[in-house]
Amino acid sequence: MKVNWLEKMMLCMILLFFLGLFGFIAMFFSLFSEDTKFYSLFIIIVTGVLAVFIIWRIFIPVRARVFNRSLAAFFVLAALSAGVYEIREAYISSIPTVSEQDFNLEEYRPYRENTKAVKLDEPSVLKLEGDLPKLDGATALYPLYAAFAQAVYPDKQYDQFDSEVMASTTPEAYKNLIEGNVDIIFVAGPSEQQLEEAKSKGVELKLTPIGREAFVFFVNAANPVKGLTTEQIQSIYGGKMTNWQEVGGRNEEIRAFQRPENSGSQTMLEKIMAYKKIMTPPQDDVVGGMGGIIERTSNYKNYSNAIGYSFLFFATEMVNNGNIRLLEINGVMPEKRTIVNKEYPFAAEFYAVTAGSKNPNVPHLIEWILSEQGQSLVEKTGYTPVAATR
């Protein structure tokens, strides 16, 4: 009997060793998956349960039929769990999104054949051939400053990532300006952090208003809520209002998406919150892999219970997603008329921002942008000229 018990112990240890080795290998490969969190837990549970089955089979007398059926039932349950998870992930991935990757900025590149960048009806009074100011800016404003460059700069290729007309995000544009890598950026106003960064490096930001735009909130088109008040927006993004039923909607949890810190739209939300604390934003899971930990910020997926925000031109022209609906704010719909007459409460100026560039053509270009020709491109692109609101 003692020998038999020792044989069982040895067999159990060998099987558990190989099971643990299999689990380790499976965990290693799960690190390369975007679904690391789910599959890591899945592997731990499956390995643990199989270990129990091994111990059960070796040390506890049981009919083979009962054991085999139990083991088969477990494998079926595990397969169903993985299948349901994959189906859910596939469904979520299929939902349309409103994000900065839902359109092709290349379509607005200056001098590109069939470019979407608008053109002047007459030759520009300003033409630059040399000392071209290097431009950068917010994604949503690229169509506008691409149009400026197309009117004033010479006809050549302007690479979005390395040329005199680059297309970056607001945080990267401010960083490039503060570090002296570009001469003018076209963005919404800076965040407190961006102002502090500029101050710490002895850089003074000069903001020249060149147009106005509405900051808009949107929901899924199937959401019955048509509008919100400023106070309700503050309550939602402060985490105090959590159910759509509280504002006349369905009994659903409010999924309030946010944008990355220091982006133009997140900075605008901070101003709307009027120094009220913003709740921690929902984020995709942190993904671990060979390249390190990658933090993926949330897209504005059109869940029926979601709310997101952006700027009017970006949401209605550049993305133009028919699955979302803009919300009235304080009973006012965001549109050009309500921007001009200042009825819409969340309209703000956007700027040509400089930081002491020594390029001699910087003041000439900004002066031209504020001229009748430059402002006409602001309007033709889809924004509101700054002069129209004065």
Side-chain angles (χ1 to χ4, degrees):
M1 288 294 296
K2 189 174 181 179
V3 174
N4 188 40
W5 183 83
L6 288 175
E7 288 177 350
K8 289 182 177 182
M9 282 291 294
M10 289 296 295
L11 177 61
C12 183
M13 290 175 64
I14 291 171
L15 291 177
L16 289 177
F17 170 78
F18 282 107
L19 177 63
L21 181 62
F22 171 80
F24 175 79
I25 294 172
M27 284 285 287
F28 175 78
F29 281 105
S30 75
L31 295 177
F32 298 95
S33 167
E34 291 187 355
D35 306 305
T36 302
K37 187 175 181 180
F38 170 80
Y39 280 111
S40 294
L41 181 61
F42 181 79
I43 291 166
I44 290 171
I45 292 174
V46 169
T47 303
V49 173
L50 288 178
V52 171
F53 269 102
I54 289 173
I55 296 170
W56 179 28
R57 186 70 179 87
I58 293 176
F59 292 103
I60 301 175
V62 61
R63 291 183 179 179
R65 181 183 299 177
V66 173
F67 178 83
N68 292 338
R69 286 182 177 179
S70 299
L71 185 60
F74 169 71
F75 279 124
V76 169
L77 182 61
L80 283 174
S81 299
V84 168
Y85 176 80
E86 289 296 337
I87 291 171
R88 176 182 175 275
E89 290 300 299
Y91 167 72
I92 291 174
S93 298
S94 72
I95 297 173
T97 64
V98 176
S99 72
E100 294 184 355
Q101 281 69 48
D102 281 342
F103 58 91
N104 183 9
L105 279 184
E106 175 67 14
E107 296 176 347
Y108 294 93
R109 182 167 54 82
Y111 294 111
R112 176 181 182 270
E113 186 178 358
N114 298 320
T115 180
K116 288 185 177 181
V118 299
K119 299 178 177 64
L120 289 172
D121 297 327
E122 59 188 11
S124 172
V125 297
L126 176 67
K127 284 290 186 181
L128 302 179
E129 296 298 332
D131 288 327
L132 301 179
K134 197 166 186 178
L135 312 180
D136 198 355
T139 307
L141 288 173
Y142 177 71
L144 177 57
Y145 63 87
F148 292 157
Q150 186 168 250
V152 175
Y153 285 19
D155 184 350
K156 66 175 187 177
Q157 292 285 331
Y158 293 97
D159 186 273
Q160 295 175 32
F161 306 102
D162 186 19
S163 73
E164 293 91 344
V165 189
M166 300 197 302
S168 187
T169 60
T170 296
E172 285 300 313
Y174 269 108
K175 180 180 177 182
N176 285 336
L177 181 68
I178 292 169
E179 293 180 352
N181 297 324
V182 297
D183 299 301
I184 310 174
I185 62 173
F186 298 87
V187 287
S191 66
E192 289 297 323
Q193 183 177 333
Q194 287 158 342
L195 287 172
E196 286 298 322
E197 184 179 353
K199 184 178 179 180
S200 69
K201 296 189 176 180
V203 174
E204 182 179 355
L205 301 178
K206 181 180 179 181
L207 281 63
T208 303
I210 62 171
R212 284 180 66 83
E213 177 63 322
F215 183 65
V216 300
F217 289 84
F218 54 80
V219 295
N220 185 276
N223 192 322
V225 175
K226 299 295 190 293
L228 296 169
T229 65
T230 300
E231 291 74 20
Q232 288 170 338
I233 291 290
Q234 291 172 339
S235 294
I236 288 172
Y237 279 94
K240 296 179 180 178
M241 187 177 290
T242 59
N243 195 294
W244 282 111
Q245 202 169 32
E246 299 177 68
V247 290
R250 292 186 286 261
N251 183 19
E252 290 183 301
E253 179 185 357
I254 297 174
R255 190 180 183 115
F257 285 106
Q258 295 186 39
R259 293 284 287 123
E261 187 178 18
N262 292 323
S263 66
S265 51
Q266 189 70 7
T267 299
M268 187 66 183
L269 176 67
E270 291 169 1
K271 293 177 180 178
I272 289 171
M273 293 297 289
Y275 301 105
K276 293 181 176 66
K277 181 177 175 57
I278 301 176
M279 67 178 178
T280 301
Q283 294 181 325
D284 288 345
D285 295 335
V286 173
V287 180
M290 294 297 289
I293 297 176
I294 304 169
E295 184 174 299
R296 301 180 337 192
T297 57
S298 299
N299 284 325
Y300 295 154
K301 288 186 177 292
N302 299 316
Y303 294 100
S304 62
N305 63 334
I307 181 172
Y309 49 82
S310 186
F311 290 95
L312 180 63
F313 176 74
F314 178 83
T316 60
E317 298 294 332
M318 295 179 74
V319 175
N320 193 20
N321 189 317
N323 295 315
I324 66 169
R325 187 184 66 256
L326 303 185
L327 293 175
E328 295 178 351
I329 302 296
N330 299 339
V332 181
M333 196 68 188
E335 54 191 17
K336 284 189 178 181
R337 178 185 61 82
T338 58
I339 297 173
V340 171
N341 63 25
K342 298 185 179 181
E343 288 182 13
Y344 185 71
F346 299 159
E349 293 175 329
F350 55 87
Y351 306 92
V353 184
T354 56
S357 170
K358 295 189 179 354
N359 187 306
N361 285 321
V362 166
H364 299 310
L365 179 57
I366 291 179
E367 182 182 3
W368 176 84
I369 290 171
L370 294 174
S371 73
E372 185 177 344
Q373 284 191 330
Q375 289 293 288
S376 72
L377 289 180
V378 173
E379 185 167 25
K380 289 181 72 174
T381 297
Y383 292 103
T384 302
V386 70
T389 60
R390 289 175 178 170

